[in-house]
Amino acid sequence: MLNGYAGTILRVDLSEEKIEKQPLPIKMAEEFIGGRGFVAKTLFDELPPNTDPLSPANLFVVASGPLSGQFMPASGKTHFGCKSPATGGYGDSNMGGHFGPTLKYAGYDMLVLTGRAVEPSLLVIEDQDITIKPAGNLWGMGSLSAEAKLKKDLGEDFQILTIGPAGENGVAFACITHDFGRQAGRAGIGTVLGSKNIKAIAVKGTGSIPVNDAKALLAEGKQAFQDVRAKPGFKGWTPEGTAGITDWVNRVGALPTQNFKTSYWDQHASINGAAILRTLKITDKGCYCCPTPCGKYGKAKTGLGEVYVEGPEFETISLLGSNCLMGDISEIAYANYICDELGLDTISAGVVCSWAIECYQNGLLDRKVIGREVSFGDLASVVYLLESIARRQGVGKLLADGVQSAARKVGKGSETFAIHVKGLEWSGYECRNAPGMMLAYMTSDIGAHHARAWVLGHDLAGSSASVHDLITSEGSNEKLPKSEVTGRAAKVIESQHLRPLFDLLGICRLQFMELGFEVEHYERLFKVVTGKQLNWDQMLSVSEKVWHLTRSISAREIKGFGRNWDYPPERFMTEPVPDGPNEGHFISRQEVDVLLDEYYTMRGWDHKGIPTAETLKSFGLDDVAASRPSWACHSNE
Ligand code: SF4
């Protein structure tokens, strides 16, 4: 028996309708902990190399971690993985809510879907009973609507994840929705579920999870809840959640604005956390066991209609808001709802819409191609584009494969302002004067995503100031000096191990990141749950190992993968920021190469950014090192 784990992997071959339950290998739990570690290990071992992401051979993996579902703060995270249709490489995304804990209570640490169902289907997991049911009646339905229907049909005690029309229609940035507003948004996770003809997965679990010392867990868990609530930031952070950072991001000149043309917007105060509380909020909403419910459930009234919606959180505010020049928080919330119902990642959707509008403004896409006039700051334009994309209608056919693909087809210089890395659209921080954050985006293993590393505060604070002080101080809008690019890699690498560590354990990172919840809590909780003594540094070492593994998967899957895949968009390397605190700043290609050289060297990767055999072996990835000659050779062509 493995304490902390349900002990079983559930495998469903949808083509054969074959269901298999396999004991969770102890070695896998010991070497990869859970969540993202299980996803990466499974994809490396089981994904046939060079698989088309939308073919039945791709894997759709769901994994929780040893702390998921345990009596401790915020233990409700679930991790998803596949070969990404957005990038062609390693893809993963995670989500809060209640799904992962419930899957564990049903008896499974991991679910692996392969094949493709012959018709639109629903997978129902009710403890030991697994059924694949026809779901033609749900196909075409919005994500939120389908979830509501399934809750009614199956019962409130089922936890449900759904895709929307975007996932059904193979949109490269389709997401999974759960709990009426929680999303696994990135890397096209919902696209892959849709390609398997699965509209929804419903799980009900009535079992329990073995733990090493239940009495000690009760005591540690109780103490942990008390300590989170005693943190100085507890009362200040929770009311606005992630939206509370909007003003600060703008003040330091990092707010994506008008398709990342600039990084400062004087209308930020109308779309910040206070605007949500003033205009939208009905109640707070949290994930499983969370003492700091950052979700804001509210009602948005706009000229296009009224909706109830969870959000918008900061990423949605920045990409559908300032980046599309939408300065009305209700309109952003409405666009957020449309994305949720259609099953679109709000980050990628915001970037794709703003790119299309800029193309229209510049005459690169005309009215005939777009189908109507579109403009920045216009909700109707954004909603029209979102609907077109999700249904692959009209201009949606061009946009549905993501901004990289669309820009390649349109050409005429539009690639310059297609804001992505590796094919994944850039999330909510503009960083032409934040070289560390730029490097974090460039080297994120799924493409341009902030959740892998966030060093913006350190970029701006330098070595002498406290990042916390910088973020919480009022500050001014004075011009910031040009940042040095050297010496950035170490902090980025540290953050790339730290943030994804929470994805191994199956818990939320925000209590640690935002409130300074101590690592000792996690060490003690891990010990009482699993019975194993793993200190923070040892956990970080596992996270580092997984980083080398995910990079190796992308190198294996993407022909020619290497340094060229790590460059930022041309706009950031050639266009100075036109206004705001970072006016005049940009990062040159030479500076980008300095960042990459330093990073690859510190990582133990070759000059093209491929992990060396020695590095892989030093983390016990001997099998990956042994296979390296078969995939690293094309990376060095
Ligand atoms: Fe979920 Fe937010 Fe709580 Fe994290 S802080 S567990 S994302 S509600």
Side-chain angles (χ1 to χ4, degrees):
M1 188 171 67
L2 266 171
N3 286 320
Y5 298 87
T8 302
I9 299 172
L10 175 61
R11 294 177 180 278
V12 181
D13 180 334
L14 295 160
S15 300
E16 304 291 330
E17 296 199 5
K18 196 170 140 203
I19 290 153
E20 195 188 334
K21 294 170 187 171
Q22 173 201 349
L24 177 72
I26 293 175
K27 194 168 151 55
M28 184 160 153
E30 286 177 347
E31 293 183 1
F32 292 90
I33 298 180
R36 173 175 145 87
F38 285 3
V39 164
K41 172 72 175 152
T42 304
L43 284 172
F44 185 83
D45 287 353
E46 299 180 24
L47 179 74
N50 305 313
T51 295
D52 177 341
L54 300 185
S55 77
N58 198 359
L59 273 59
F60 176 87
V61 187
V62 187
S64 63
L67 299 188
S68 301
Q70 304 292 359
F71 175 63
M72 59 169 287
S75 56
K77 286 282 181 177
T78 315
H79 217 73
F80 298 83
C82 61
K83 177 168 175 174
S84 167
T87 67
Y90 172 81
D92 74 17
S93 193
N94 78 53
M95 177 179 83
H98 308 262
F99 191 89
T102 309
L103 188 66
K104 271 178 92 172
Y105 297 144
Y108 313 102
D109 300 293
M110 186 159 73
L111 165 66
V112 183
L113 298 186
T114 51
R116 176 182 291 148
V118 289
E119 61 181 333
S121 300
L122 158 71
L123 177 66
V124 181
I125 302 165
E126 190 168 2
D127 291 322
Q128 293 307 302
D129 293 334
I130 318 295
T131 44
I132 303 165
K133 299 182 174 179
N137 61 327
L138 300 173
W139 207 251
M141 199 179 266
S143 299
L144 305 168
S145 306
E147 185 177 1
K149 174 156 175 53
L150 286 170
K151 282 268 187 190
K152 203 168 161 213
D153 293 351
L154 298 173
E156 282 292 329
D157 43 4
F158 274 86
Q159 294 300 330
I160 291 157
L161 53 88
T162 59
I163 59 164
E168 297 170 10
N169 294 323
V171 175
F173 45 97
C175 67
I176 285 167
T177 288
H178 159 63
D179 201 26
F180 302 102
R182 294 281 153 182
Q183 276 83 23
R186 309 248 63 199
I189 297 290
T191 321
V192 172
L193 192 59
S195 76
K196 300 199 169 302
N197 251 337
I198 295 294
K199 175 71 181 179
I201 302 175
V203 61
K204 178 178 169 183
T206 59
S208 56
I209 308 161
V211 295
N212 179 60
D213 188 338
K215 208 169 153 194
L217 174 57
L218 271 179
E220 283 293 347
K222 199 171 161 195
Q223 187 64 51
F225 278 106
Q226 280 174 7
D227 289 358
V228 166
R229 289 198 174 95
K231 285 284 162 200
F234 175 75
K235 286 204 173 84
W237 185 78
T238 308
E240 294 185 6
T242 60
I245 200 172
T246 308
D247 290 343
W248 179 80
V249 175
N250 189 60
R251 180 156 52 76
V252 299
L255 190 68
T257 304
Q258 199 178 349
N259 193 30
F260 289 85
K261 195 169 191 56
T262 186
S263 59
Y264 180 82
W265 200 30
D266 57 10
Q267 293 186 43
H268 63 96
S270 63
I271 61 171
N272 62 11
I276 290 179
L277 301 190
R278 208 169 48 237
T279 316
L280 306 172
K281 188 187 148 186
I282 296 171
T283 185
D284 294 323
K285 186 162 171 275
C287 306
Y288 181 87
C289 255
C290 181
T292 56
C294 71
K296 307 299 147 201
Y297 196 74
K299 184 177 183 182
K301 294 183 193 177
T302 73
L304 296 186
E306 292 182 9
V307 292
Y308 289 93
V309 61
E310 179 177 345
E313 49 84 55
F314 171 70
E315 294 299 321
T316 307
I317 286 173
S318 57
L319 278 319
L320 283 173
S322 53
N323 205 41
C324 292
L325 293 188
M326 295 222 294
D328 179 333
I329 195 68
S330 296
E331 294 197 342
I332 298 169
Y334 187 86
N336 188 160
Y337 169 83
I338 295 293
C339 282
D340 289 358
E341 187 71 332
L342 294 172
L344 289 167
D345 170 29
T346 56
I347 296 172
S348 289
V351 173
V352 171
C353 287
S354 61
W355 175 85
I357 295 170
E358 184 165 349
C359 281
Y360 181 73
Q361 277 192 340
N362 295 350
L364 304 180
L365 288 174
D366 62 21
R367 189 183 167 132
K368 205 166 144 205
V369 174
I370 297 251
R372 58 160 279 165
E373 274 187 35
V374 290
S375 58
F376 282 111
D378 178 35
L379 175 64
S381 298
V382 170
V383 170
Y384 169 79
L385 290 170
L386 297 174
E387 294 273 3
S388 304
I389 290 166
R391 304 191 195 287
R392 279 191 180 270
Q393 288 170 346
V395 72
K397 288 191 208 109
L398 170 72
L399 304 176
D401 292 326
V403 77
Q404 181 186 41
S405 164
R408 279 179 180 157
K409 286 176 189 154
V410 170
K412 299 182 236 170
S414 66
E415 301 96 327
T416 308
F417 53 87
I419 310 299
H420 70 93
V421 175
K422 300 179 181 69
L424 189 76
E425 290 77 13
W426 199 281
S427 62
Y429 303 95
E430 202 287 338
C431 32
R432 268 172 280 191
N433 193 31
M437 194 67 212
M438 182 75 80
L439 181 62
Y441 272 113
M442 288 156 54
T443 56
S444 159
D445 58 0
I446 61 164
H449 192 45
H450 63 286
R452 286 297 132 85
W454 194 91
V455 296
L456 186 58
H458 293 274
D459 270 321
L460 298 165
S463 54
S464 56
S466 146
V467 175
H468 183 262
D469 290 348
L470 181 84
I471 290 175
T472 52
S473 70
E474 285 301 314
S476 68
N477 288 332
E478 283 170 13
K479 293 272 182 307
L480 293 165
K482 167 85 174 155
S483 297
E484 287 290 325
V485 297
T486 50
R488 302 289 172 173
K491 200 76 210 169
V492 172
I493 289 171
E494 181 190 316
S495 187
Q496 286 176 337
H497 302 160
L498 182 58
R499 291 196 149 216
L501 170 52
F502 295 86
D503 302 336
L504 304 180
L505 297 168
I507 53 176
C508 182
R509 66 172 183 273
L510 292 177
Q511 292 68 32
F512 175 85
M513 297 291 170
E514 305 294 340
L515 306 181
F517 192 55
E518 294 82 4
V519 298
E520 291 76 17
H521 278 292
Y522 298 110
E523 291 175 334
R524 287 200 300 268
L525 284 158
F526 188 85
K527 172 77 169 64
V528 297
V529 166
T530 66
K532 296 192 189 321
Q533 191 84 52
L534 213 55
N535 66 33
W536 197 244
D537 286 342
Q538 290 167 316
M539 293 186 208
L540 285 169
S541 178
V542 176
S543 189
E544 183 171 4
K545 171 168 62 180
V546 173
W547 196 269
H548 294 298
L549 182 56
T550 60
R551 182 79 176 185
S552 298
I553 293 170
S554 289
R556 185 183 73 180
E557 296 301 318
I558 300 174
K559 189 157 176 56
F561 185 82
R563 178 181 288 252
N564 282 344
W565 291 79
D566 292 336
Y567 281 106
E570 201 65 25
R571 166 160 279 170
F572 295 168
M573 294 190 284
T574 54
E575 287 182 32
V577 179
D579 52 19
N582 290 310
E583 183 181 340
H585 296 318
F586 68 103
I587 188 155
S588 70
R589 199 172 180 88
Q590 288 81 357
E591 288 173 319
V592 164
D593 278 323
V594 168
L595 288 169
L596 287 177
D597 286 341
E598 192 180 67
Y599 178 87
Y600 293 161
T601 303
M602 288 193 83
R603 275 264 174 236
W605 296 354
D606 66 22
H607 73 288
K608 296 236 174 185
I610 310 299
T612 64
E614 293 69 35
T615 298
L616 293 168
K617 282 184 196 161
S618 71
F619 284 90
L621 296 168
D622 292 24
D623 53 340
V624 184
S627 72
R628 190 180 184 278
S630 69
W631 45 264
C633 53
H634 71 61
S635 298
N636 287 313
E637 282 169 359

